[in-house]
Amino acid sequence: MKSFLFTIMQLTSEKKRTMSTSVFSCFATLLVFGFSSLASAKTHHLHWEVSYMFASPDCQEKLVMAINGQFPGPTIHAKAGDTVVVELKNSLPTEGVVIHWHGIKQIGTPWADGTALISQCPIKPDETFVYKFQADKAGTYFYHGHYGMQRAAGLYGLLIVDVKEGEKEKFKYDGEINMLLSDWYHQDIYTQMVGLSSNPFRWIGEPQSLLINGVGQFNCSLATNQGINKCNMENVQCSPMVFKVMPNKTYRLRIISTTSLSSLNLAIGNHKMTIVEADGNYVDPFTVDDMDIYSGDSYSALITTDQHVSSNHWISVGVRGRQPKTPPALAILSYLNNSQSQLELPMATPPTTPLWNNYTHSKSFSYKILAAKGTPKPSKKADRLIQLLNTQNRIDGFIKWSLNNVSMVLPSTPYLGSLRYSLKGAFDQKKPRDRFGANYNVMKPPINPNTTTGSNLYEIKLNSTVDIILQNANALAENVSEIHPWHLHGHDFWVLGYGEGLFRKKDVSRFNFENAPLRNTAVIFRYGWTAIRFIADNPGVWAFHCHIEPHLHMGMGVVLAEGIDLVKEIPKDAISCGKTANMLMNQHG
């Protein structure tokens, strides 16, 4: 409160000679609003314990990573401006853990971002770390593990931030339905990680099941009479999700994808969806029959329950962008005053997922996402341009993913600690390149497939405007270019545009400066490019990476550092590993 009052007084003092009376009244309004906001903001204290447990998400019993014995983990509900405090105890017997709060900017708390060896040390077994951060903006978010491939082991859950007390959403609705989408492997993540790091290379393959709120059905088609007898309908852990709704109402669907690999498509039988939010930002509403969702995406869609009350309707989630070997996940939308005494499967067949390689359909959806009126517009010029060429390469025969021919390897000392305290030798100091060869043929495998490892640490001037061109290319095999969803920590960015082939300087003329959507995750389509712009206004060290779990594990990421000298004192237990551990010991020596 004191700092808030000081800021207002300071601003008033500095500007009082030039400001008009009307501007002073604005400050007075802001002051009253500040008192009101601080008074209504709450602090949510949560005590969590991460451990393994047996569960049957798709009717096949496996080990899952759970929080307080729950899979998926508990849903966090907060309002914008609230403070969230999570005391996280690691009860995994032999490994560290962290949790990333996906979409939360961590303004003033970069050590709480939950990225192992970037913002903090992994929490050791039997130890506890306290995450404390502000839910800075209303929106649909989630949290997940960010160490190794723990997200693929089930370490994830929802984080829902509502508007502040007394404020209203831009759209009206009568109820909410949350859909957390994920893919599920029967092979454990440790076998997967070893395979990805082996020579010869062992790919993880396609997931065995897709899950909706942690529930799926392995080797079972609920939609066919032949499949019903094979389905375990009595196991409560994997019986299909049923979302009950009232007729003639409007519902807000909060849809999140935390998949390890799969790009998804969602459709609801006989119900259109109006998209109103993407990654915690309002968008210009548009209506679709189905929607593509990439790993790391979050959306809000409105549906109207205007169908006949005596019928149920399939919700279908299928694979996009990869040749599907995983059956769709199915759930049921059921009208509450349905006269059936026992839930019956819908008579109609489920919506059909568009062909996996119908990229025109995928692009059409992404291109429709535009900013709602009132969204801040990007400036017309940037201070820096970084072009990141996404390629698949080899190091001594081992397959890696690289950016500008460097595959990211994280150090043993978190960047946040080593940069804040200027520790020498804590990581590879070689600066990554802002460009790649202008004549690179993105349509063909790399002529020289060899690459190197590095820190991929970009130091960004505080408050500068930065453009990043994400450039896709052909992988090692002929005629293969994969879809990559890229997620930026600590910021939202404007999606300025998409294009085919190699990005050229002339493509800047195609950038959207009028209604570019704000996102924290953006997709690069095969053989194409995506242009984003952000303002480096959040002191800290932030990951920027492909959100596909095995791709990040194989080096597909960079790190952005900005305003490190402005970072306040970092909690000691956040950086008590590697060289910062030695520094802390010497301080208390």
Side-chain angles (χ1 to χ4, degrees):
M1 181 68 76
K2 288 181 179 179
S3 61
F4 178 86
L5 290 171
F6 175 77
T7 302
I8 296 296
M9 293 169 64
Q10 186 182 45
L11 286 169
T12 304
S13 175
E14 291 173 355
K15 300 293 183 179
K16 65 182 180 181
R17 295 181 182 178
T18 57
M19 286 185 175
S20 66
T21 304
S22 61
V23 178
F24 275 114
S25 67
C26 290
F27 274 121
T29 302
L30 180 60
L31 183 61
V32 172
F33 176 76
F35 274 117
S36 174
S37 298
L38 290 169
S40 62
K42 297 180 180 179
T43 300
H44 305 267
H45 292 276
L46 304 171
H47 298 269
W48 285 3
E49 183 177 1
V50 177
S51 62
Y52 278 109
M53 73 174 192
F54 287 105
S56 303
D58 63 351
C59 299
Q60 303 291 303
E61 187 177 73
K62 299 291 177 184
L63 277 178
V64 303
M65 208 169 276
I67 298 174
N68 293 354
Q70 297 182 45
F71 166 76
T75 297
I76 298 175
H77 285 279
K79 291 183 182 295
D82 286 359
T83 297
V84 178
V85 181
V86 180
E87 287 188 39
L88 185 70
K89 181 182 179 182
N90 180 9
S91 290
L92 302 173
T94 59
E95 61 190 295
V97 71
V98 297
I99 289 184
H100 168 56
W101 316 95
H102 187 111
I104 302 298
K105 296 187 181 64
Q106 301 295 347
I107 299 168
T109 54
W111 50 83
D113 189 49
T115 45
L117 304 175
I118 296 176
S119 66
Q120 72 170 105
C121 303
I123 307 165
K124 297 176 182 177
D126 241 12
E127 292 189 356
T128 298
F129 181 79
V130 179
Y131 291 100
K132 183 178 181 180
F133 57 88
Q134 186 182 62
D136 53 279
K137 186 172 65 171
T140 303
Y141 308 111
F142 64 108
Y143 61 84
H144 58 80
H146 213 296
Y147 184 44
M149 291 175 62
Q150 291 179 343
R151 172 160 54 95
L155 187 55
Y156 49 74
L158 293 168
L159 201 173
I160 306 299
V161 181
D162 291 313
V163 294
K164 293 179 180 179
E165 200 72 45
E167 295 186 5
K168 293 183 179 180
E169 291 280 11
K170 289 190 174 183
F171 43 86
K172 294 182 179 180
Y173 56 95
D174 302 298
E176 292 190 6
I177 295 173
N178 296 332
M179 293 186 188
L180 179 61
L181 311 179
S182 53
D183 46 16
W184 189 247
Y185 286 83
H186 292 172
Q187 186 180 66
D188 65 79
I189 61 170
Y190 311 103
T191 303
Q192 291 182 42
M193 288 190 291
V194 171
L196 294 170
S197 304
S198 293
N199 186 9
F201 180 69
R202 297 187 183 185
W203 176 237
I204 64 173
E206 304 302 311
Q208 279 63 60
S209 304
L210 301 178
L211 308 181
I212 302 174
N213 292 352
V215 175
Q217 296 80 33
F218 170 63
N219 197 25
C220 158
S221 175
L222 290 169
T224 63
N225 292 330
Q226 292 82 2
I228 292 173
N229 295 328
K230 299 178 183 178
C231 300
N232 188 344
M233 302 291 287
E234 297 178 358
N235 188 336
V236 294
Q237 289 193 65
C238 60
S239 57
M241 292 292 304
V242 177
F243 298 101
K244 295 183 178 181
V245 295
M246 294 292 293
N248 302 312
K249 301 290 184 182
T250 298
Y251 285 85
R252 177 184 189 170
L253 309 184
R254 294 186 184 265
I255 306 161
I256 302 96
S257 174
T258 185
T259 53
S260 174
L261 174 68
S262 306
S263 301
L264 303 175
N265 177 274
L266 180 143
I268 304 173
N270 301 316
H271 292 77
K272 292 183 180 293
M273 296 175 287
T274 300
I275 312 302
V276 292
E277 178 219 346
D279 295 351
N281 294 285
Y282 294 120
V283 300
D284 191 21
F286 64 97
T287 301
V288 292
D289 293 315
D290 62 85
M291 57 186 295
D292 279 359
I293 310 156
Y294 302 98
S295 180
D297 281 348
S298 65
Y299 291 98
S300 284
L302 302 181
I303 64 166
T304 301
T305 52
D306 55 2
Q307 298 300 302
H308 197 281
V309 297
S310 64
S311 60
N312 296 320
H313 307 271
W314 286 116
I315 300 169
S316 178
V317 178
V319 173
R320 300 279 281 123
R322 305 182 65 86
Q323 189 163 4
K325 299 178 182 178
T326 310
L330 296 173
I332 297 171
L333 188 74
S334 177
Y335 284 50
L336 266 178
N337 63 349
N338 192 321
S339 60
Q340 299 166 359
S341 59
Q342 194 172 16
L343 180 69
E344 294 184 5
L345 298 179
M347 296 295 292
T349 57
T352 302
T353 301
L355 288 175
W356 69 275
N357 56 356
N358 184 348
Y359 299 110
T360 301
H361 189 85
S362 299
K363 293 173 184 177
S364 173
F365 177 78
S366 293
Y367 297 169
K368 290 176 183 175
I369 302 172
L370 300 171
K373 291 181 180 179
T375 301
K377 295 182 180 181
S379 60
K380 292 296 179 69
K381 293 184 178 180
D383 301 304
R384 184 175 178 181
L385 171 64
I386 299 173
Q387 294 176 286
L388 296 178
L389 176 66
N390 294 239
T391 55
Q392 196 179 51
N393 301 87
R394 288 193 176 92
I395 298 178
D396 298 327
F398 295 87
I399 294 179
K400 301 291 181 182
W401 284 99
S402 301
L403 287 314
N404 295 351
N405 210 41
V406 178
S407 184
M408 183 178 72
V409 174
L410 296 177
S412 59
T413 304
Y415 288 116
L416 186 62
S418 58
L419 289 171
R420 177 64 179 81
Y421 298 108
S422 303
L423 299 180
K424 295 182 179 180
F427 59 89
D428 178 8
Q429 299 286 332
K430 186 177 180 180
K431 292 185 178 182
R433 294 181 297 168
D434 283 13
R435 305 284 195 279
F436 58 90
N439 296 318
Y440 188 92
N441 187 351
V442 299
M443 307 303 292
K444 294 289 184 180
I447 296 175
N448 177 10
N450 297 315
T451 188
T452 58
T453 59
S455 64
N456 275 356
L457 176 70
Y458 287 86
E459 296 192 51
I460 310 292
K461 184 180 178 181
L462 186 65
N463 293 322
S464 62
T465 300
V466 181
D467 281 358
I468 297 181
I469 307 299
L470 295 164
Q471 177 68 62
N472 214 341
N474 200 100
L476 286 170
E478 289 274 2
N479 301 316
V480 175
S481 181
E482 298 191 22
I483 287 174
H484 301 289
W486 274 74
H487 172 58
L488 177 59
H489 294 224
H491 306 77
D492 282 341
F493 52 73
W494 290 279
V495 181
L496 297 181
Y498 304 89
E500 309 289 335
L502 183 67
F503 177 83
R504 302 288 187 184
K505 190 175 181 179
K506 64 180 181 179
D507 291 321
V508 173
S509 64
R510 299 170 50 193
F511 285 179
N512 175 13
F513 295 109
E514 291 304 311
N515 52 4
L518 281 169
R519 303 293 303 265
N520 61 53
T521 303
V523 63
I524 337 172
F525 294 107
R526 62 197 301 268
Y527 296 114
W529 54 263
T530 298
I532 69 169
R533 175 170 293 179
F534 74 99
I535 300 173
D537 56 0
N538 192 7
V541 182
W542 310 105
F544 183 43
H545 61 89
C546 177
H547 209 262
I548 292 175
E549 196 84 303
H551 290 181
L552 175 58
H553 183 75
M554 295 164 66
M556 201 171 195
V558 300
V559 179
L560 310 177
E562 60 200 62
I564 296 299
D565 55 321
L566 298 181
V567 174
K568 298 177 182 178
E569 185 175 352
I570 304 169
K572 293 177 181 178
D573 52 351
I575 54 173
S576 57
C577 60
K579 289 185 177 294
T580 44
N582 298 332
M583 178 196 73
L584 293 171
M585 287 178 62
N586 292 333
Q587 286 180 351
H588 294 84

